[in-house]
Amino acid sequence: MKIKHCQWCDNQFETSISYQIYCSPTCRESATKEKIAQRYAQTRRNKRLKKVRNCKSCDVPLSAYNDDELCGQCLVNPVDVKKMLKEIKGLANGKS
Ligand SMILES: [Zn+2]
Ligand SMILES: [Zn+2]
């Protein structure tokens, strides 16, 4: 038997199983649940980073670090783009 410290509650426990790191099934469950929650949060973060947005004007995919609604190319000529967006909005509203 070996004396170990539980990785979850830090209690001392005796075990003959070399890979046992938790003192009880309750601690093992709690630790597992937290790991799953962490992985879930990580996945959600990654998804947000990978979310593809397209340029409102020319539909080119925007970089995740571009907070604008337009790509660099369209930003060069914002007047034309605004005019176009207005037209698109007019079409969507059924007004022209
Ligand atoms: Zn424990
Ligand atoms: Zn564009």
Side-chain angles (χ1 to χ4, degrees):
M1 293 292 257
K2 260 183 150 182
I3 307 257
K4 288 192 171 190
H5 284 272
C6 173
Q7 295 276 301
W8 182 253
C9 67
D10 212 30
N11 273 346
Q12 277 192 2
F13 65 100
E14 277 188 26
T15 180
S16 55
I17 308 162
S18 61
Y19 55 81
Q20 189 180 343
I21 52 172
Y22 305 115
C23 65
S24 68
T26 316
C27 282
R28 196 186 54 218
E29 249 172 62
S30 305
T32 308
K33 269 182 198 158
E34 202 191 69
K35 259 185 209 161
I36 290 169
Q38 273 176 2
R39 204 172 304 155
Y40 181 67
Q42 180 74 47
T43 310
R44 262 180 33 191
R45 258 199 302 275
N46 287 347
K47 261 191 192 158
R48 196 165 55 225
L49 274 179
K50 277 180 195 157
K51 196 181 152 211
V52 179
R53 294 173 309 127
N54 291 332
C55 171
K56 289 263 185 195
S57 176
C58 67
D59 231 21
V60 153
L62 296 174
S63 119
Y65 306 103
N66 185 353
D67 283 328
D68 279 305
E69 296 192 319
L70 301 171
C71 70
Q73 284 246 292
C74 294
L75 276 175
V76 175
N77 201 344
V79 180
D80 272 3
V81 170
K82 267 182 193 152
K83 214 177 108 194
M84 214 170 114
L85 279 178
K86 243 187 184 171
E87 279 170 23
I88 292 168
K89 261 188 194 162
L91 284 175
N93 292 337
K95 290 175 212 156
S96 56

